[in-house]
Amino acid sequence: MLKKIVLALVVVAMTASFAFAQKTIVIAHDATWPPMEFVDQNKNIVGYSVDYCDAIAKELGLTVEHKSVAWDGIFAGLVGRKYDMISSSVSITPERQKKFDFSDPYFEVTQAVILPIDASGASLTDLKGKTLGGQLGTTGVFVAKRAEGVNTKEYDEIGFAIEALYTGRIDGVICDDAIAADYVLRNPKYAGKFKLAFIVKSDKPEYYGFVVKKGNKELLDLLNKGIAAVKAKGIEAELRKKWIGQ
């Protein structure tokens, strides 16, 4: 009896994998978040998360399509079945887990604050009375709103917040550390203008995960299998070196 049950489960798993292998998995990205996902000069969606998805697809024999979707509507589009999953530097939070299912973590992140090169400040406490910009609905903005005396201004894209800092309309920007480092260290327009002032200390780690509709166990299991393979084969380390520099 036990053998029959095990065999049945294997057949179900193989059937699910075969079903996904026969279709194109459409992946939504808010492609405004370098170096994780962004549009390059040739108008292609590229970045760490994009390559990670492609690596998973290669390991599992899947076909994927990358689609650019604005952040403010990206979760509604998943609910409306406009695509199969989200890969958009989405931090795994208890609030989001109530509405969606997340894959195993694929990247650890912290919140960082960008300030003008000549500004002072080593913590959020030092920024009382100042205004921090960030992308709406992101963990960076959530952190800034909890900081006593710090004003927040939300933007549709993190690039808009960076530009507001560049033109002096706000005092700083808060966002994920990899994105902050990319703007400060790799964007020639802002060279010598900004600094990565500090990392916001937290007693809880923060991780990115891929997002699927609640109950989509077949796709979730495939993603977790792919993540495990990408990690085990050293592909993840190669992608980190390529896009993050470490």
Side-chain angles (χ1 to χ4, degrees), residues 123-208:
S123 70
L124 290 175
T125 302
D126 297 332
L127 300 182
K128 285 185 177 181
K130 304 291 187 180
T131 299
L132 284 182
Q135 185 166 336
L136 61 85
T138 59
T139 49
V141 167
F142 300 155
V143 168
K145 285 183 174 181
R146 291 196 297 266
E148 184 178 352
V150 176
N151 303 310
T152 57
K153 187 170 179 59
E154 299 181 62
Y155 296 85
D156 290 337
E157 298 179 12
I158 193 62
F160 296 161
I162 294 290
E163 191 63 20
L165 177 60
Y166 182 67
T167 55
R169 287 173 284 152
I170 56 176
D171 302 298
V173 171
I174 186 167
C175 60
D176 299 348
D177 56 342
I179 286 74
D182 192 85
Y183 274 107
V184 172
L185 302 176
R186 300 183 185 92
N187 192 309
K189 178 177 181 178
Y190 306 118
K193 303 295 184 181
F194 301 149
K195 62 182 177 182
L196 205 167
F198 59 89
I199 299 295
V200 180
K201 294 180 180 179
S202 174
D203 57 353
K204 295 181 180 179
E206 182 178 349
Y207 298 101
Y208 292 157

Coordinates of all heavy atoms in Angstrom, one line a residue, residues 123-208:
S123 N 22.7 57.2 11.3 CA 21.5 56.3 11.7 C 20.3 57.1 11.4 O 20.3 58.3 11.1 CB 21.6 56.0 13.2 OG 21.4 57.2 14.0
L124 N 19.1 56.5 11.5 CA 17.9 57.1 11.3 C 17.6 58.2 12.3 O 17.0 59.2 12.1 CB 16.7 56.1 11.2 CG 16.7 55.2 10.0 CD1 15.6 54.2 10.2 CD2 16.5 56.0 8.7
T125 N 18.1 58.0 13.5 CA 18.0 58.9 14.6 C 18.6 60.3 14.2 O 18.1 61.4 14.6 CB 18.6 58.4 15.9 OG1 18.0 57.2 16.2 CG2 18.4 59.4 17.0
D126 N 19.7 60.2 13.5 CA 20.4 61.5 13.0 C 19.6 62.2 12.0 O 19.9 63.4 11.7 CB 21.8 61.1 12.5 CG 22.7 60.5 13.5 OD1 22.5 60.8 14.7 OD2 23.6 59.7 13.1
L127 N 18.6 61.6 11.4 CA 17.8 62.2 10.3 C 16.5 62.8 10.8 O 15.6 63.0 10.0 CB 17.6 61.2 9.2 CG 18.9 60.7 8.6 CD1 18.6 59.7 7.4 CD2 19.8 61.8 8.1
K128 N 16.3 63.0 12.1 CA 15.0 63.6 12.6 C 14.8 65.0 11.9 O 15.7 65.8 11.8 CB 15.1 63.7 14.1 CG 14.9 62.4 14.8 CD 14.8 62.7 16.3 CE 14.6 61.3 17.1 NZ 14.5 61.5 18.5
G129 N 13.6 65.2 11.4 CA 13.3 66.4 10.7 C 13.6 66.4 9.3 O 13.3 67.3 8.5
K130 N 14.3 65.4 8.8 CA 14.7 65.3 7.4 C 13.6 64.4 6.7 O 12.8 63.7 7.3 CB 16.0 64.6 7.3 CG 17.2 65.3 8.0 CD 17.5 66.6 7.4 CE 18.7 67.3 8.1 NZ 19.1 68.6 7.5
T131 N 13.7 64.5 5.3 CA 12.8 63.7 4.5 C 13.5 62.7 3.7 O 14.4 63.0 3.0 CB 12.0 64.6 3.5 OG1 11.2 65.6 4.3 CG2 11.1 63.8 2.6
L132 N 13.1 61.4 3.9 CA 13.6 60.3 3.1 C 12.7 59.9 2.0 O 11.5 59.7 2.3 CB 13.9 59.1 4.0 CG 15.2 59.2 4.9 CD1 15.3 57.8 5.7 CD2 16.4 59.4 4.1
G133 N 13.2 59.7 0.8 CA 12.3 59.2 -0.3 C 12.5 57.7 -0.5 O 13.6 57.2 -0.1
G134 N 11.5 57.1 -1.0 CA 11.6 55.6 -1.3 C 10.5 55.2 -2.3 O 9.6 56.0 -2.6
Q135 N 10.6 54.0 -2.7 CA 9.6 53.5 -3.6 C 8.4 53.1 -2.8 O 8.5 52.4 -1.8 CB 10.1 52.4 -4.5 CG 9.1 51.9 -5.5 CD 9.7 51.0 -6.6 OE1 10.9 51.1 -6.8 NE2 8.8 50.2 -7.2
L136 N 7.2 53.5 -3.3 CA 6.0 53.2 -2.6 C 5.8 51.7 -2.4 O 6.1 50.9 -3.2 CB 4.7 53.8 -3.3 CG 4.4 53.4 -4.7 CD1 3.5 52.1 -4.7 CD2 3.6 54.5 -5.4
G137 N 5.3 51.3 -1.2 CA 5.0 49.9 -0.9 C 6.2 49.0 -0.7 O 6.0 47.8 -0.8
T138 N 7.4 49.6 -0.5 CA 8.6 48.8 -0.3 C 9.0 48.8 1.2 O 8.6 49.6 2.0 CB 9.7 49.3 -1.1 OG1 10.0 50.7 -0.7 CG2 9.4 49.2 -2.6
T139 N 9.8 47.8 1.6 CA 10.2 47.6 3.0 C 11.0 48.8 3.4 O 11.0 49.2 4.6 CB 10.9 46.3 3.2 OG1 12.0 46.2 2.2 CG2 10.0 45.1 3.1
G140 N 11.7 49.5 2.5 CA 12.5 50.7 2.9 C 11.6 51.8 3.4 O 11.9 52.4 4.4
V141 N 10.5 52.0 2.7 CA 9.5 53.0 3.1 C 8.9 52.6 4.5 O 8.7 53.5 5.4 CB 8.4 53.2 2.1 CG1 7.3 54.0 2.6 CG2 9.1 53.9 0.8
F142 N 8.6 51.3 4.6 CA 8.0 50.9 5.9 C 8.9 51.1 7.0 O 8.5 51.6 8.1 CB 7.7 49.4 5.8 CG 6.7 49.0 4.7 CD1 6.8 47.7 4.2 CD2 5.8 49.9 4.2 CE1 5.9 47.3 3.2 CE2 4.9 49.5 3.2 CZ 5.0 48.2 2.7
V143 N 10.2 50.9 6.8 CA 11.2 51.2 7.9 C 11.3 52.6 8.2 O 11.3 53.0 9.4 CB 12.6 50.6 7.4 CG1 13.7 51.1 8.4 CG2 12.6 49.1 7.4
A144 N 11.3 53.5 7.2 CA 11.4 54.9 7.4 C 10.2 55.5 8.1 O 10.3 56.4 9.0 CB 11.6 55.6 6.0
K145 N 9.0 54.9 7.8 CA 7.8 55.4 8.5 C 7.8 55.1 10.0 O 7.1 55.8 10.8 CB 6.6 54.8 7.8 CG 6.3 55.5 6.5 CD 5.0 54.9 5.9 CE 4.6 55.6 4.6 NZ 3.3 55.1 4.0
R146 N 8.5 54.0 10.4 CA 8.6 53.6 11.8 C 9.6 54.5 12.6 O 9.6 54.4 13.8 CB 8.9 52.2 11.9 CG 7.8 51.2 11.4 CD 8.0 49.8 11.9 NE 9.2 49.2 11.4 CZ 9.2 48.4 10.3 NH1 8.1 48.2 9.6 NH2 10.4 47.9 9.9
A147 N 10.4 55.2 11.9 CA 11.5 56.0 12.5 C 10.9 57.3 13.0 O 10.3 58.1 12.3 CB 12.6 56.2 11.5
E148 N 11.1 57.5 14.3 CA 10.6 58.7 15.0 C 11.2 60.0 14.4 O 12.4 60.1 14.3 CB 10.8 58.6 16.5 CG 10.2 59.8 17.2 CD 10.4 59.7 18.7 OE1 10.9 58.6 19.2 OE2 10.1 60.6 19.5
G149 N 10.3 60.9 14.0 CA 10.7 62.2 13.5 C 11.2 62.3 12.1 O 11.6 63.3 11.6
V150 N 11.2 61.2 11.4 CA 11.7 61.1 10.0 C 10.5 61.2 9.1 O 9.5 60.5 9.2 CB 12.5 59.9 9.7 CG1 12.8 59.8 8.2 CG2 13.7 59.8 10.5
N151 N 10.5 62.2 8.1 CA 9.4 62.3 7.1 C 9.7 61.4 6.0 O 10.9 61.2 5.6 CB 9.4 63.8 6.7 CG 9.1 64.8 7.8 OD1 8.3 64.6 8.7 ND2 10.0 65.8 7.9
T152 N 8.7 61.0 5.3 CA 8.8 60.1 4.2 C 8.1 60.6 3.0 O 7.0 61.2 3.1 CB 8.4 58.6 4.5 OG1 7.0 58.7 4.8 CG2 9.2 58.0 5.6
K153 N 8.6 60.4 1.8 CA 8.0 60.7 0.6 C 8.1 59.5 -0.4 O 9.2 59.1 -0.6 CB 8.6 62.0 -0.1 CG 7.8 62.5 -1.3 CD 8.3 63.8 -1.8 CE 7.6 64.3 -3.0 NZ 6.1 64.4 -2.8
E154 N 7.0 59.1 -0.9 CA 7.0 57.9 -1.7 C 6.9 58.2 -3.2 O 6.2 59.1 -3.6 CB 5.8 57.0 -1.3 CG 5.9 56.5 0.1 CD 4.7 55.6 0.5 OE1 4.6 54.5 -0.1 OE2 3.9 55.9 1.4
Y155 N 7.6 57.4 -4.0 CA 7.6 57.6 -5.4 C 7.3 56.3 -6.1 O 7.5 55.2 -5.6 CB 9.0 58.0 -5.9 CG 9.5 59.4 -5.3 CD1 10.0 59.5 -4.0 CD2 9.3 60.5 -6.1 CE1 10.4 60.7 -3.5 CE2 9.7 61.8 -5.6 CZ 10.2 61.9 -4.3 OH 10.6 63.1 -3.8
D156 N 6.8 56.4 -7.4 CA 6.4 55.2 -8.1 C 7.6 54.3 -8.5 O 7.4 53.1 -8.6 CB 5.7 55.6 -9.4 CG 4.3 56.2 -9.2 OD1 3.7 55.9 -8.1 OD2 3.8 57.0 -10.1
E157 N 8.7 55.0 -8.6 CA 10.0 54.2 -8.9 C 11.1 54.7 -8.1 O 11.1 55.9 -7.7 CB 10.3 54.4 -10.4 CG 9.3 53.8 -11.4 CD 9.8 54.0 -12.8 OE1 11.0 54.4 -13.1 OE2 8.9 53.8 -13.7
I158 N 12.0 53.9 -7.7 CA 13.2 54.3 -6.9 C 14.0 55.3 -7.6 O 14.6 56.2 -7.0 CB 14.0 53.1 -6.5 CG1 15.0 53.5 -5.4 CG2 14.7 52.4 -7.7 CD1 14.3 53.9 -4.1
G159 N 14.1 55.2 -9.0 CA 14.8 56.2 -9.8 C 14.3 57.6 -9.6 O 15.1 58.6 -9.6
F160 N 13.0 57.7 -9.4 CA 12.4 59.1 -9.2 C 12.9 59.6 -7.9 O 13.1 60.8 -7.7 CB 10.9 59.0 -9.2 CG 10.3 58.6 -10.6 CD1 9.0 58.1 -10.7 CD2 11.1 58.7 -11.7 CE1 8.5 57.7 -11.9 CE2 10.6 58.3 -13.0 CZ 9.3 57.8 -13.1
A161 N 13.0 58.8 -6.8 CA 13.4 59.2 -5.5 C 14.9 59.7 -5.6 O 15.3 60.7 -5.0 CB 13.3 58.1 -4.5
I162 N 15.7 58.9 -6.3 CA 17.1 59.2 -6.5 C 17.2 60.6 -7.2 O 18.1 61.4 -6.8 CB 17.8 58.1 -7.3 CG1 17.9 56.8 -6.6 CG2 19.2 58.6 -7.7 CD1 18.8 56.8 -5.4
E163 N 16.4 60.8 -8.2 CA 16.5 62.1 -9.0 C 16.0 63.2 -8.1 O 16.6 64.3 -8.2 CB 15.6 62.0 -10.2 CG 15.8 63.1 -11.2 CD 17.2 63.2 -11.8 OE1 17.9 62.2 -11.8 OE2 17.5 64.3 -12.3
A164 N 15.0 63.0 -7.2 CA 14.6 64.0 -6.3 C 15.7 64.4 -5.3 O 15.9 65.6 -5.0 CB 13.4 63.5 -5.5
L165 N 16.5 63.4 -4.9 CA 17.7 63.7 -4.0 C 18.7 64.5 -4.8 O 19.3 65.4 -4.3 CB 18.3 62.4 -3.5 CG 19.5 62.5 -2.7 CD1 19.3 63.3 -1.4 CD2 20.0 61.1 -2.3
Y166 N 18.9 64.1 -6.0 CA 19.9 64.8 -6.9 C 19.6 66.3 -7.1 O 20.5 67.1 -7.2 CB 20.0 64.0 -8.2 CG 21.0 64.6 -9.2 CD1 22.3 64.5 -9.0 CD2 20.5 65.2 -10.4 CE1 23.2 64.9 -9.9 CE2 21.4 65.6 -11.4 CZ 22.8 65.5 -11.1 OH 23.7 66.0 -12.0
T167 N 18.3 66.6 -7.2 CA 17.9 68.0 -7.4 C 17.6 68.7 -6.1 O 17.1 69.8 -6.1 CB 16.6 68.0 -8.3 OG1 15.6 67.2 -7.8 CG2 17.0 67.5 -9.7
G168 N 17.8 68.0 -5.0 CA 17.7 68.7 -3.7 C 16.3 68.8 -3.1 O 16.0 69.6 -2.2
R169 N 15.3 68.0 -3.6 CA 14.0 68.1 -3.2 C 13.7 67.2 -1.9 O 12.7 67.4 -1.2 CB 13.0 67.7 -4.3 CG 12.9 68.7 -5.4 CD 12.1 68.2 -6.6 NE 12.8 67.3 -7.4 CZ 12.3 66.3 -8.1 NH1 11.0 66.1 -8.0 NH2 13.0 65.5 -8.8
I170 N 14.6 66.3 -1.7 CA 14.5 65.5 -0.4 C 15.9 65.4 0.1 O 16.9 65.8 -0.5 CB 13.9 64.1 -0.7 CG1 14.7 63.3 -1.8 CG2 12.5 64.2 -1.1 CD1 14.2 61.9 -2.0
D171 N 16.0 64.8 1.3 CA 17.3 64.8 2.0 C 18.1 63.5 1.9 O 19.3 63.4 2.1 CB 17.1 65.1 3.5 CG 16.4 66.5 3.7 OD1 17.0 67.5 3.3 OD2 15.3 66.5 4.3
G172 N 17.4 62.4 1.5 CA 18.0 61.1 1.4 C 17.1 60.1 0.8 O 15.9 60.4 0.6
V173 N 17.6 59.0 0.5 CA 16.8 57.9 -0.1 C 17.0 56.6 0.7 O 18.2 56.3 1.1 CB 17.1 57.7 -1.6 CG1 16.5 56.4 -2.1 CG2 16.7 58.9 -2.4
I174 N 16.0 55.8 0.9 CA 16.1 54.5 1.6 C 15.7 53.4 0.6 O 14.6 53.6 0.0 CB 15.4 54.5 2.9 CG1 15.7 53.2 3.7 CG2 13.9 54.7 2.8 CD1 15.2 53.2 5.1
C175 N 16.5 52.4 0.5 CA 16.1 51.3 -0.4 C 17.0 50.1 0.0 O 17.9 50.2 0.8 CB 16.3 51.7 -1.8 SG 18.0 52.2 -2.3
D176 N 16.8 49.0 -0.8 CA 17.6 47.8 -0.5 C 19.1 48.1 -0.8 O 19.4 48.9 -1.7 CB 17.2 46.7 -1.4 CG 15.7 46.3 -1.2 OD1 15.1 46.7 -0.1 OD2 15.1 45.5 -2.0
D177 N 20.0 47.5 0.0 CA 21.4 47.8 -0.1 C 22.0 47.6 -1.4 O 22.9 48.4 -1.9 CB 22.2 47.1 1.0 CG 22.0 45.6 0.9 OD1 21.1 45.1 0.3 OD2 22.8 44.8 1.6
A178 N 21.7 46.5 -2.1 CA 22.3 46.3 -3.5 C 21.9 47.4 -4.5 O 22.7 47.8 -5.3 CB 21.8 44.9 -4.0
I179 N 20.7 47.9 -4.3 CA 20.2 48.9 -5.2 C 20.9 50.2 -4.9 O 21.3 51.0 -5.8 CB 18.7 49.1 -5.2 CG1 18.0 47.9 -5.9 CG2 18.2 50.3 -5.8 CD1 18.1 46.6 -5.2
A180 N 21.0 50.5 -3.6 CA 21.7 51.7 -3.1 C 23.2 51.7 -3.6 O 23.6 52.8 -4.1 CB 21.7 51.8 -1.6
A181 N 23.8 50.6 -3.5 CA 25.2 50.5 -3.9 C 25.3 50.7 -5.4 O 26.3 51.4 -5.9 CB 25.8 49.2 -3.5
D182 N 24.4 50.2 -6.2 CA 24.4 50.4 -7.6 C 24.3 51.8 -8.0 O 25.1 52.3 -8.9 CB 23.3 49.6 -8.3 CG 23.4 49.5 -9.8 OD1 24.1 48.5 -10.2 OD2 22.8 50.3 -10.5
Y183 N 23.4 52.6 -7.4 CA 23.2 54.0 -7.7 C 24.5 54.8 -7.3 O 24.9 55.7 -8.0 CB 22.0 54.5 -7.1 CG 20.7 54.3 -7.9 CD1 19.8 53.4 -7.6 CD2 20.5 55.1 -9.1 CE1 18.6 53.2 -8.4 CE2 19.4 54.9 -9.9 CZ 18.5 54.0 -9.5 OH 17.3 53.8 -10.3
V184 N 25.0 54.5 -6.2 CA 26.1 55.3 -5.6 C 27.4 55.0 -6.3 O 28.2 55.9 -6.6 CB 26.3 55.0 -4.1 CG1 27.5 55.7 -3.6 CG2 25.1 55.6 -3.3
L185 N 27.7 53.7 -6.6 CA 29.0 53.3 -7.1 C 29.1 53.1 -8.6 O 30.2 53.2 -9.2 CB 29.4 52.0 -6.4 CG 29.5 52.0 -4.9 CD1 29.8 50.6 -4.3 CD2 30.5 53.0 -4.4
R186 N 27.9 52.8 -9.2 CA 28.0 52.4 -10.6 C 27.3 53.3 -11.6 O 27.5 53.2 -12.8 CB 27.4 50.9 -10.8 CG 28.2 49.9 -10.0 CD 27.6 48.5 -10.2 NE 28.3 47.5 -9.3 CZ 27.8 47.2 -8.1 NH1 26.7 47.7 -7.7 NH2 28.4 46.3 -7.4
N187 N 26.5 54.2 -11.1 CA 25.8 55.1 -12.0 C 26.6 56.4 -12.3 O 26.8 57.2 -11.3 CB 24.4 55.5 -11.4 CG 23.5 56.1 -12.4 OD1 23.9 57.1 -13.1 ND2 22.3 55.6 -12.6
P188 N 27.1 56.6 -13.5 CA 28.0 57.7 -13.7 C 27.3 59.1 -13.5 O 28.0 60.0 -13.2 CB 28.4 57.5 -15.2 CG 27.3 56.6 -15.8 CD 26.9 55.7 -14.7
K189 N 26.0 59.2 -13.7 CA 25.4 60.5 -13.5 C 25.5 61.0 -12.1 O 25.7 62.2 -11.8 CB 23.9 60.3 -13.8 CG 23.1 61.6 -13.6 CD 21.7 61.5 -14.0 CE 20.9 62.8 -13.8 NZ 19.5 62.7 -14.2
Y190 N 25.6 60.0 -11.1 CA 25.6 60.4 -9.7 C 27.0 60.3 -9.1 O 27.1 60.4 -7.8 CB 24.6 59.6 -8.9 CG 23.2 59.7 -9.5 CD1 22.5 58.6 -10.0 CD2 22.5 60.9 -9.6 CE1 21.3 58.7 -10.5 CE2 21.3 61.0 -10.2 CZ 20.6 59.9 -10.6 OH 19.4 60.0 -11.2
A191 N 28.0 60.0 -9.9 CA 29.3 59.8 -9.4 C 29.8 61.0 -8.6 O 29.8 62.2 -9.1 CB 30.3 59.5 -10.5
G192 N 30.2 60.8 -7.4 CA 30.8 61.9 -6.5 C 29.7 62.7 -5.9 O 30.0 63.7 -5.2
K193 N 28.4 62.4 -6.1 CA 27.3 63.2 -5.6 C 26.7 62.6 -4.3 O 26.3 63.3 -3.4 CB 26.2 63.4 -6.7 CG 26.7 64.0 -8.0 CD 27.1 65.4 -7.8 CE 27.5 66.0 -9.1 NZ 28.0 67.4 -9.0
F194 N 26.7 61.3 -4.3 CA 26.0 60.5 -3.2 C 27.0 59.7 -2.4 O 28.1 59.4 -2.9 CB 24.9 59.6 -3.7 CG 23.8 60.4 -4.4 CD1 23.1 59.7 -5.5 CD2 23.5 61.7 -4.1 CE1 22.1 60.3 -6.2 CE2 22.4 62.3 -4.8 CZ 21.8 61.6 -5.8
K195 N 26.6 59.2 -1.3 CA 27.3 58.2 -0.5 C 26.3 57.2 0.1 O 25.2 57.6 0.4 CB 28.2 58.8 0.6 CG 27.4 59.5 1.6 CD 28.3 60.2 2.6 CE 27.6 61.0 3.7 NZ 28.5 61.6 4.7
L196 N 26.7 56.0 0.2 CA 25.9 55.0 1.0 C 26.2 55.3 2.4 O 27.3 54.8 3.0 CB 26.3 53.6 0.6 CG 25.2 52.5 0.8 CD1 25.5 51.3 0.0 CD2 25.0 52.2 2.2
A197 N 25.4 56.0 3.1 CA 25.7 56.6 4.4 C 25.7 55.5 5.5 O 26.6 55.5 6.3 CB 24.7 57.7 4.8
F198 N 24.7 54.6 5.5 CA 24.6 53.6 6.6 C 23.6 52.6 6.2 O 22.7 52.8 5.4 CB 24.3 54.2 7.9 CG 23.0 55.0 8.0 CD1 21.8 54.3 8.4 CD2 23.0 56.3 7.8 CE1 20.6 55.0 8.5 CE2 21.8 57.0 7.9 CZ 20.6 56.4 8.2
I199 N 23.8 51.4 6.9 CA 22.8 50.3 6.8 C 21.9 50.4 8.0 O 22.4 50.6 9.1 CB 23.5 48.9 6.8 CG1 24.4 48.8 5.5 CG2 22.5 47.8 6.8 CD1 23.7 48.9 4.2
V200 N 20.6 50.3 7.8 CA 19.7 50.3 9.0 C 19.8 49.0 9.7 O 19.5 47.9 9.1 CB 18.2 50.6 8.5 CG1 17.3 50.6 9.7 CG2 18.2 51.9 7.7
K201 N 20.1 49.0 11.0 CA 20.2 47.8 11.8 C 18.8 47.2 12.0 O 17.9 47.9 12.3 CB 20.9 48.1 13.1 CG 22.3 48.6 13.0 CD 23.0 48.8 14.3 CE 24.4 49.3 14.2 NZ 25.1 49.6 15.5
S202 N 18.8 45.9 11.9 CA 17.5 45.1 12.2 C 17.9 43.8 12.9 O 18.9 43.2 12.6 CB 16.8 44.9 10.8 OG 15.7 44.1 11.1
D203 N 17.0 43.4 13.8 CA 17.2 42.1 14.5 C 16.6 41.0 13.7 O 16.7 39.8 14.1 CB 16.6 42.2 15.9 CG 15.1 42.5 15.9 OD1 14.6 42.8 14.8 OD2 14.5 42.5 17.0
K204 N 16.0 41.3 12.5 CA 15.4 40.2 11.7 C 15.9 40.3 10.3 O 16.0 41.3 9.7 CB 13.8 40.4 11.7 CG 13.1 40.2 13.0 CD 11.6 40.4 12.9 CE 10.9 40.2 14.2 NZ 9.5 40.4 14.1
P205 N 16.4 39.1 9.8 CA 16.9 39.1 8.4 C 15.8 39.3 7.4 O 14.6 39.0 7.7 CB 17.5 37.7 8.3 CG 16.8 36.9 9.3 CD 16.5 37.8 10.4
E206 N 16.1 39.9 6.3 CA 15.2 40.1 5.2 C 15.6 39.4 3.9 O 16.8 39.5 3.6 CB 15.1 41.6 5.0 CG 14.0 42.0 3.9 CD 13.9 43.6 3.7 OE1 14.5 44.3 4.5 OE2 13.3 44.0 2.7
Y207 N 14.7 38.7 3.3 CA 15.0 37.9 2.1 C 14.1 38.2 1.0 O 12.9 38.4 1.2 CB 15.0 36.4 2.4 CG 16.0 36.0 3.5 CD1 15.5 35.8 4.8 CD2 17.3 35.7 3.2 CE1 16.4 35.3 5.8 CE2 18.2 35.3 4.2 CZ 17.7 35.1 5.5 OH 18.6 34.7 6.4
Y208 N 14.6 38.1 -0.3 CA 13.7 38.1 -1.4 C 13.2 36.7 -1.7 O 13.9 35.7 -1.4 CB 14.5 38.5 -2.7 CG 15.0 39.9 -2.8 CD1 16.1 40.3 -3.6 CD2 14.4 41.0 -2.1 CE1 16.5 41.6 -3.7 CE2 14.8 42.3 -2.2 CZ 15.9 42.6 -3.0 OH 16.3 43.8 -3.1

